[in-house]
PDB file of all heavy atoms in Angstrom:
ATOM      1  N   LYS B  45     102.136 103.491  80.891  1.00  0.00           N
ATOM      2  CA  LYS B  45     101.947 104.855  81.415  1.00  0.00           C
ATOM      3  C   LYS B  45     101.697 104.826  82.924  1.00  0.00           C
ATOM      4  O   LYS B  45     102.363 105.520  83.699  1.00  0.00           O
ATOM      5  CB  LYS B  45     100.758 105.540  80.715  1.00  0.00           C
ATOM      6  CG  LYS B  45     100.902 105.662  79.218  1.00  0.00           C
ATOM      7  CD  LYS B  45      99.735 106.373  78.584  1.00  0.00           C
ATOM      8  CE  LYS B  45      98.408 105.630  78.725  1.00  0.00           C
ATOM      9  NZ  LYS B  45      98.378 104.332  77.999  1.00  0.00           N
ATOM     10  N   THR B  46     100.703 104.028  83.318  1.00  0.00           N
ATOM     11  CA  THR B  46     100.362 103.971  84.735  1.00  0.00           C
ATOM     12  C   THR B  46     101.561 103.512  85.559  1.00  0.00           C
ATOM     13  O   THR B  46     101.857 104.071  86.619  1.00  0.00           O
ATOM     14  CB  THR B  46      99.165 103.021  84.938  1.00  0.00           C
ATOM     15  OG1 THR B  46      98.074 103.496  84.166  1.00  0.00           O
ATOM     16  CG2 THR B  46      98.768 102.956  86.393  1.00  0.00           C
ATOM     17  N   GLN B  86      94.012 106.031  87.857  1.00  0.00           N
ATOM     18  CA  GLN B  86      93.202 105.739  86.672  1.00  0.00           C
ATOM     19  C   GLN B  86      91.859 105.140  87.076  1.00  0.00           C
ATOM     20  O   GLN B  86      90.813 105.530  86.588  1.00  0.00           O
ATOM     21  CB  GLN B  86      93.971 104.767  85.771  1.00  0.00           C
ATOM     22  CG  GLN B  86      93.193 104.341  84.549  1.00  0.00           C
ATOM     23  CD  GLN B  86      94.067 103.540  83.596  1.00  0.00           C
ATOM     24  OE1 GLN B  86      95.230 103.268  83.858  1.00  0.00           O
ATOM     25  NE2 GLN B  86      93.496 103.150  82.466  1.00  0.00           N
ATOM     26  N   ASP B 160      96.156 110.342  85.921  1.00  0.00           N
ATOM     27  CA  ASP B 160      96.170 109.164  85.061  1.00  0.00           C
ATOM     28  C   ASP B 160      94.795 108.999  84.414  1.00  0.00           C
ATOM     29  O   ASP B 160      93.847 108.565  85.060  1.00  0.00           O
ATOM     30  CB  ASP B 160      96.546 107.934  85.891  1.00  0.00           C
ATOM     31  CG  ASP B 160      97.009 106.777  85.021  1.00  0.00           C
ATOM     32  OD1 ASP B 160      96.937 106.911  83.779  1.00  0.00           O
ATOM     33  OD2 ASP B 160      97.430 105.746  85.580  1.00  0.00           O
ATOM     34  N   GLU B 161      94.703 109.379  83.154  1.00  0.00           N
ATOM     35  CA  GLU B 161      93.451 109.361  82.397  1.00  0.00           C
ATOM     36  C   GLU B 161      92.302 109.969  83.198  1.00  0.00           C
ATOM     37  O   GLU B 161      91.294 109.309  83.448  1.00  0.00           O
ATOM     38  CB  GLU B 161      93.107 107.938  81.960  1.00  0.00           C
ATOM     39  CG  GLU B 161      94.148 107.413  80.987  1.00  0.00           C
ATOM     40  CD  GLU B 161      93.759 106.074  80.378  1.00  0.00           C
ATOM     41  OE1 GLU B 161      92.551 105.849  80.220  1.00  0.00           O
ATOM     42  OE2 GLU B 161      94.657 105.294  80.072  1.00  0.00           O
TER      43      GLU B 161
HETATM   44 MG1   MG C   2      96.975 103.136  82.730  1.00  0.00          MG
END
Side-chain angles (χ1 to χ4, degrees):
Chain B
K45 301 182 296 295
T46 302
Q86 177 172 2
D160 198 355
E161 295 188 31

